[in-house]
């Protein structure tokens, strides 16, 4: 008999739409449930190529393999007969296989197991409506699917945060040996203390030229680390034919040095964020990781055709900039808006942002601390228990 207070197994389904956000979140959650809570986790993913970028030891040719404590399965259209797990997570409404839904529906108390708890894990948003939709049921008789919304307030599902992440971060920040190791691993000596270190993970972005111009002509030396990705052609273009030099993956012009990095595995990416003073991030998961880094960051939101991403950006800004002095709040808003295609000069916006750095450093640390109270994986498991208890009451009610 399955103990319905704590799941023993979990199936996570992930359909990779584009980029790395869907698989990034699914893989992170899978590892956490397996390694911190001892669940038997199967991760069903339809694009092993994208998965292997985050987990380089994965073999894209295998149908099934074990990676970091997780059973990773290729999700094919023709779905095999499997026994559904206790906890079933459909990442971002990716639509479970019909045969799997039927198998869930067949499980009843009389078969010795309670029906799985079916969760649709939603995209992250700071908008107000999220609180009202978090945990809402969506009946699909005889099953019920529940919406689970990550978020930034106590009435949402919180954010993915590994148990030891913040202590590992603090150990890293206090340990010159660990810091040296990350610089070495990317083929560099530890940068001079007066160099501002910036990581830049971004989509194509017209504001790049203005930003780089400001960095080239600025007072401070800047080292910018660019992981391989969609902005790379623009980075190359910026330097070509200008008064700049290139050595392998390094470009230098004025006070700006740019180093192009290979895409690193997911855990290593955290260290890169910790090692930098300011992080430019995009989408969803890297944005959350930048928040855990406790450093000022600049967010390029995933653009949507109907422009709803602006509402999401402002909803987050409202929360993040709350309690900041007005000119500091304006500095964050100014750079984030121009970086997302809004009006204004990214060079001017950068200078205001850089001037506000001391206050933003403090804000970033406090923000990470505040958010850490609301842990998504723990909330998910609490919710599993809630559903179990609710079902038990229902059955008891029917019997009396
Ligand atoms: O790749 P993304 O742009 O993903 C996007 C967004 O999540 C968006 O909300 C979603 O709708 C869309 O996909 C389909 O950005 P994101 O979310 O930051 O995911 C990147 C992942 O890649 C994240 O888990 C961090 C990881 N990463 C590495 O592992 N190594 C690296 O070197 C870098 C730069 C990132």
């Amino acid at each position: 008999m399955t103990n319905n207070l704590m799941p023993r197994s979990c199936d996570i389904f992930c359909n990779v739409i584009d980029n790395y956000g869907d698989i990034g979140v699914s893989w992170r959650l899978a590892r956490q449930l397996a390694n911190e809570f001892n669940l038997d986790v199967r991760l069903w993913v339809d694009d092993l190529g994208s998965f292997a970028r985050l987990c380089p030891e994965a073999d894209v040719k295998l149908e099934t393999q074990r990676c970091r404590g997780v059973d990773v399965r290729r999700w094919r259209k023709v779905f095999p007969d499997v026994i559904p797990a206790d906890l079933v997570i459909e990442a971002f409404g990716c639509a479970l296989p019909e045969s799997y839904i039927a198998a869930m529906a067949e499980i009843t108390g009389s078969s010795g197991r309670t029906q799985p708890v079916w969760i649709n894990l939603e995209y992250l948003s700071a908008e107000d409506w999220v609180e009202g939709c978090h945990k809402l049921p969506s009946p699909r008789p005889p099953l019920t699917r529940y919406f689970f919304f990550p978020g930034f307030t106590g009435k949402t599902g919180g954010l993915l945060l590994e148990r030891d992440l913040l202590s590992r971060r603090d150990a890293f920040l206090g340990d010159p040996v660990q810091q040296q190791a990350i610089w070495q691993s990317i083929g560099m000596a530890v940068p001079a203390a007066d160099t501002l270190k910036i990581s830049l993970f971004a989509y194509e972005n017209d504001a790049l030229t203005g930003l780089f111009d400001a960095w080239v002509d600025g007072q401070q030396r800047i080292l910018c680390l660019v992981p391989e990705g969609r902005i790379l052609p623009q980075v190359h273009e910026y330097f070509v034919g200008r008064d700049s030099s290139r050595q392998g993956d390094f470009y230098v012009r004025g006070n700006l040095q740019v180093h192009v990095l290979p895409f690193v595995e997911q855990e290593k990416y955290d260290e890169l964020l910790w090692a930098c003073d300011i992080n430019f991030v995009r989408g969803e998961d890297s944005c959350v990781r930048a928040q855990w880094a406790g450093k000022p960051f600049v967010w390029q939101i995933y653009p949507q055709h109907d422009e709803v991403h602006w509402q999401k950006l402002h909803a987050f800004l409202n929360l993040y900039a709350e309690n900041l002095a007005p000119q500091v709040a304006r500095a964050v808003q100014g750079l984030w808006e121009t970086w997302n295609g809004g009006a204004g000069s990214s060079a001017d916006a950068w200078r205001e942002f850089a001037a506000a750095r001391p206050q933003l450093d403090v804000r970033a640390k406090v923000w990470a601390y505040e958010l850490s109270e609301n842990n998504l994986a723990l909330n998910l498991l609490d919710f599993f228990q809630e559903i179990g208890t609710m079902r038990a009451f229902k059955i008891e009610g029917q019997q009396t």
Side-chain angles (χ1 to χ4, degrees):
M1 177 87 174
T2 304
N3 170 5
N4 64 10
L5 290 183
M6 182 71 182
R8 293 194 182 152
S9 56
C10 174
D11 276 322
I12 301 178
F13 288 85
C14 175
N15 162 221
V16 177
I17 299 174
D18 62 358
N19 304 304
Y20 302 103
D22 305 296
I23 185 60
V25 169
S26 304
W27 173 227
R28 196 179 290 295
L29 176 61
R31 283 201 319 273
Q32 202 184 352
L33 292 178
N35 298 322
E36 291 182 18
F37 299 96
N38 289 324
L39 267 63
D40 288 331
V41 180
R42 280 185 299 214
L43 173 62
W44 300 89
V45 54
D46 63 352
D47 174 1
L48 286 174
S50 296
F51 171 64
R53 300 298 303 277
L54 305 180
C55 175
E57 76 253 29
D59 183 341
V60 295
K61 294 185 292 303
L62 294 178
E63 294 299 305
T64 162
Q65 59 196 301
R66 195 140 186 100
C67 301
R68 319 244 171 135
V70 175
D71 182 359
V72 179
R73 306 276 178 110
R74 188 195 302 278
W75 179 7
R76 288 195 183 274
K77 275 212 174 77
V78 179
F79 199 75
D81 283 338
V82 293
I83 298 172
D86 298 337
L87 174 63
V88 177
I89 298 175
E90 176 181 353
F92 313 115
C94 63
L96 301 188
E98 283 302 322
S99 62
Y100 188 90
I101 296 175
M104 280 201 288
E106 270 170 27
I107 298 173
T108 60
S110 59
S111 67
R113 284 189 60 195
T114 44
Q115 221 164 48
V117 173
W118 177 7
I119 302 281
N120 180 31
L121 179 64
E122 281 290 344
Y123 286 110
L124 174 63
S125 171
E127 290 163 293
D128 289 343
W129 58 263
V130 164
E131 290 186 349
C133 295
H134 178 49
K135 297 187 185 176
L136 276 188
S138 160
R140 180 163 165 163
L143 300 166
T144 303
R145 184 169 73 139
Y146 294 90
F147 292 101
F148 199 91
F149 280 85
F152 302 94
T153 64
K155 291 184 182 156
T156 69
L159 299 174
L160 281 174
L161 171 64
E162 295 81 359
R163 189 157 40 207
D164 60 350
L165 184 80
L166 299 187
S167 56
R168 278 196 289 119
R169 178 199 68 185
D170 292 342
F172 177 94
L173 292 174
D175 181 2
V177 177
Q178 285 189 55
Q179 292 169 29
Q180 195 178 6
I182 175 100
W183 293 108
Q184 259 173 6
S185 74
I186 57 173
M188 295 190 70
V190 178
D194 61 351
T195 298
L196 188 67
K197 303 171 290 295
I198 300 178
S199 78
L200 186 97
F201 180 44
Y203 307 117
E204 300 78 4
N205 196 319
D206 290 342
L208 183 75
T209 305
L211 187 72
F212 272 11
D213 283 347
W215 291 353
V216 165
D217 298 331
Q219 302 285 310
Q220 189 169 19
R221 257 188 298 176
I222 290 187
L223 169 65
C224 173
L225 303 171
V226 185
E228 263 172 27
R230 287 170 51 177
I231 198 149
L232 218 50
Q234 278 181 274
V235 170
H236 292 310
E237 200 181 310
Y238 180 84
F239 290 100
V240 170
R242 303 221 192 173
D243 186 15
S244 51
S245 64
R246 177 178 185 178
Q247 259 193 336
D249 291 329
F250 284 93
Y251 291 99
V252 182
R253 186 170 163 216
N255 255 342
L256 170 63
Q257 182 183 3
V258 168
H259 182 19
V260 176
L261 301 180
F263 202 84
V264 295
E265 69 179 80
Q266 216 182 28
E267 283 97 335
K268 196 79 175 268
Y269 181 58
D270 281 322
E271 292 184 12
L272 190 70
L273 297 171
W274 302 340
C276 288
D277 303 303
I278 297 176
N279 294 299
F280 283 65
V281 284
R282 71 183 208 194
E284 177 169 327
D285 192 53
S286 58
C287 180
V288 172
R289 304 316 278 186
Q291 292 171 58
W292 294 138
K295 306 279 182 94
F297 68 101
V298 183
W299 183 30
Q300 186 178 14
I301 192 166
Y302 184 73
Q304 287 170 271
H305 295 301
D306 46 10
E307 301 286 310
V308 290
H309 59 281
W310 280 107
Q311 284 164 32
K312 288 190 185 172
L313 185 79
H314 285 123
F316 181 75
L317 269 170
N318 286 344
L319 285 181
Y320 191 71
E322 215 178 26
N323 304 328
L324 285 177
Q327 82 278 11
V328 178
R330 273 197 302 276
V332 182
Q333 182 168 353
L335 184 56
W336 285 30
E337 285 183 351
T338 49
W339 190 241
N340 281 281
S345 139
S346 49
D348 292 344
W350 163 255
R351 284 186 276 270
E352 282 175 32
F353 187 90
R357 227 186 101 212
Q359 294 93 322
L360 290 175
D361 270 329
V362 176
R363 177 61 180 143
K365 284 186 184 64
V366 174
W367 177 253
Y369 177 73
E370 286 170 1
L371 288 184
S372 65
E373 302 283 298
N374 201 13
N375 185 309
L376 191 141
L378 284 175
N379 291 336
L380 203 56
L381 297 176
D382 281 351
F383 186 55
F384 181 91
Q385 295 190 2
E386 245 177 70
I387 302 293
T389 312
M390 204 171 70
R391 284 177 180 166
F393 271 123
K394 247 192 197 163
I395 293 168
E396 220 169 79
Q398 280 161 6
Q399 284 166 348
T400 51

